[in-house]
Amino acid sequence: MTIATCEINPPSRLLMGAGPANVHPRVLRAMGADVIGQMDPEMTAYMDETMALYREVFQTTNHWTFLINGSARSAIEAALVSLVTPGMVVVVLNIGRFGLLLREIVTRCGGIVHSVDVPWGQVVDPADVEKALRLHKPRLVAAVHGDTSTTTAQPLEAIGALCRQYEALFYVDATATLGGMPFKTDEWHIDVATAGLQKCLAGPPGSAPITLSDRAVAAIKERRHDEGGIASGAPQGEGPVIQSNYFDLMMLMNYWSPQRMNHHTEATSMLYAAREVARLVVEEGIDARIERHRRAGEAMIAGIKAMGMRVYGDETTRMYNVTGVHVPEGIEARRIQELMRRDFEIEIVSSFGPLTGKIWRIGAMGINAQKSKVLLTLAAFESVLSGEGIPINRGAGIDAARAAWNRAGHS
Ligand SMILES: *Cc1c(COP(=O)(O)O)cnc(C)c1O
């Protein structure tokens, strides 16, 4: 085995897949700042500022809005391991790859899962969720907002209202949509929402924002937080112990409280990144940012269609930030992805499960939800498809996308 002796020098790729997307230079610069002690007053002030910033991003007044160290999945796991007790009935919206992940984690936590099954690429009918609420009387409903695997966004508003009515807590994985599509934690009655930085937020993977309603916090307080008897400082409830120390949200809340009860060491450089990410969102304005993603998605779709390719899924329910394109019969999806990368330094991806090799997913998120990036990607895509003998209306895609972008600006 040879030992790597040179500095890391990755190629500069344009990441137009399903995430990660390219990182904003201001975020990269923030990560280069010096590391300070976790109890340093500067550091704890950054933590408090980060909490306030993410309340804006999540559109919530929830006090408990903070970060979990790890990629988006770490916050999903923290939420579910802290909420789900053995034997607890949980309704999961099974709508794609990440719906399956929620089911798996709930099961690992000892929860009894009742799925509302929705074919990939479709949206759930709130009436089916209501049926499940009536029938199974769950304490928790778990859902994904936009599942990148299917490029489809779910109608959460109606489901949140139903959860309130039937007294179930509502958990949502908003990783793929936060900062790129409308997402209103409080207005939609969401009790716990989690995300990551590497999709529409233009940050790197490795920190996962979370927000908790008072109802969710009350449920977490009912549980025990310390099985080993080592003083964690967390108030002990009567309920079953949370089967994780690292992801015990009560311990994490104590760490993010003014008492700063020592738990892990906050990932300093990732906190700098997450803070800068949220500053960028607030600076641009949430609505303007969402509009930029919508516009990029519209231009992408116009381009794909004009070149003569078929867009995947129902346009009224598709995510703004990632577009599915049907792979023509007889074409190997991976070959096209390879040529995009090799000849143009552009990453696009396929999907999972029933959609493996059946669609390409082309994302335009974060700093890549931009006119030039959409047009460059479409130009490269046309060239590669055409070079592989797929009949394409050459030039039409780029022209249509440019026109759509400019038009969208006036609507
Ligand atoms: C991309 C994505 C994730 C990613 O989780 P990581 O742990 O950051 O890889 C989770 N949920 C959804 C809906 C996603 O689209």
Side-chain angles (χ1 to χ4, degrees):
M1 200 182 100
T2 55
I3 294 179
T5 51
C6 36
E7 227 178 308
I8 274 181
N9 185 23
S12 61
R13 294 243 162 75
L14 178 56
L15 303 180
M16 303 294 280
N22 294 87
V23 176
H24 195 290
R26 261 173 57 183
V27 176
L28 292 174
R29 283 201 292 276
M31 293 177 79
D34 206 2
V35 169
I36 54 178
Q38 60 166 333
M39 296 302 170
D40 192 309
E42 302 289 343
M43 179 65 182
T44 53
Y46 293 150
M47 290 172 79
D48 290 341
E49 288 161 13
T50 302
M51 291 176 86
L53 283 161
Y54 278 92
R55 285 184 202 115
E56 299 291 317
V57 177
F58 276 115
Q59 310 220 352
T60 182
T61 57
N62 288 339
H63 174 75
W64 292 113
T65 304
F66 52 101
L67 304 174
I68 310 290
N69 284 351
S71 70
R73 189 178 295 234
S74 68
I76 301 174
E77 190 135 353
L80 294 177
V81 79
S82 298
L83 288 171
V84 178
T85 54
M88 179 192 277
V89 173
V90 182
V91 163
V92 176
L93 269 52
N94 181 23
I95 44 89
R97 182 198 175 190
F98 291 104
L100 293 172
L101 176 68
L102 297 183
R103 232 170 51 171
E104 186 210 307
I105 299 176
V106 169
T107 305
R108 280 178 189 252
C109 296
I112 314 290
V113 172
H114 292 284
S115 294
V116 177
D117 296 316
V118 180
W120 286 41
Q122 293 183 24
V123 293
V124 70
D125 181 349
D128 290 339
V129 179
E130 182 161 21
K131 246 182 260 164
L133 282 160
R134 278 225 179 100
L135 189 63
H136 305 300
K137 303 188 174 37
R139 293 277 309 277
L140 176 70
V141 173
V144 178
H145 183 210
D147 197 315
T148 37
S149 67
T150 68
T151 72
T152 306
Q154 302 296 320
L156 297 184
E157 197 171 356
I159 299 167
L162 286 168
C163 288
R164 260 317 129 91
Q165 189 186 331
Y166 289 88
E167 293 177 359
L169 289 172
F170 189 26
Y171 163 77
V172 177
D173 172 6
T175 306
T177 46
L178 194 67
M181 287 193 75
F183 186 84
K184 298 171 191 290
T185 304
D186 290 358
E187 209 177 301
W188 295 354
H189 303 298
I190 295 165
D191 291 295
V192 182
T194 65
L197 305 185
Q198 76 269 29
K199 306 278 168 80
C200 300
L201 292 173
S207 180
I210 188 169
T211 186
L212 307 169
S213 71
D214 292 345
R215 286 158 28 110
V217 173
I220 293 163
K221 278 189 175 158
E222 282 172 17
R223 301 189 61 179
R224 280 182 298 130
H225 304 278
D226 182 357
E227 189 158 55
I230 303 162
S232 67
Q236 301 298 312
E238 297 293 311
V241 71
I242 291 181
Q243 297 289 323
S244 171
N245 173 294
Y246 198 67
F247 291 139
D248 183 325
L249 286 175
M250 193 70 234
M251 287 180 165
L252 288 163
M253 285 187 272
N254 287 338
Y255 178 55
W256 283 79
S257 76
Q259 285 73 42
R260 303 282 165 202
M261 308 286 280
N262 189 231
H263 183 252
H264 64 286
T265 308
E266 183 56 21
T268 320
S269 309
M270 284 312 303
L271 178 117
Y272 297 167
R275 180 178 173 279
E276 195 60 20
V277 153
R279 266 166 42 82
L280 283 160
V281 175
V282 170
E283 217 173 275
E284 180 174 8
I286 287 255
D287 293 341
R289 190 184 182 91
I290 290 164
E291 175 56 21
R292 178 163 61 78
H293 281 82
R294 192 190 63 76
R295 199 170 172 185
E298 221 166 76
M300 189 72 84
I301 288 195
I304 297 289
K305 282 185 176 166
M307 72 172 78
M309 301 293 286
R310 276 199 311 134
V311 173
Y312 170 81
D314 180 341
E315 267 176 51
T316 59
T317 57
R318 65 171 291 283
M319 291 161 68
Y320 298 163
N321 52 305
V322 56
T323 304
V325 182
H326 285 280
V327 176
E329 214 44 59
I331 295 296
E332 201 203 335
R334 215 178 313 166
R335 162 99 183 134
I336 304 295
Q337 290 154 230
E338 157 91 16
L339 289 170
M340 289 288 283
R341 180 169 55 78
R342 224 175 53 196
D343 292 349
F344 293 94
E345 300 280 0
I346 297 175
E347 177 175 280
I348 65 168
V349 298
S350 183
S351 190
F352 304 101
L355 295 174
T356 308
K358 296 278 193 289
I359 61 168
W360 289 293
R361 292 177 301 156
I362 307 182
M365 348 193 185
I367 48 172
N368 295 343
Q370 206 184 116
K371 185 181 189 174
S372 63
K373 309 294 184 202
V374 171
L375 297 181
L376 284 168
T377 303
L378 287 168
F381 196 47
E382 279 195 14
S383 169
V384 167
L385 292 174
S386 178
E388 291 301 289
I390 300 165
I392 286 293
N393 308 319
R394 294 301 301 271
I398 310 160
D399 289 348
R402 273 181 78 194
W405 182 284
N406 295 335
R407 208 170 41 239
H410 299 295
S411 63

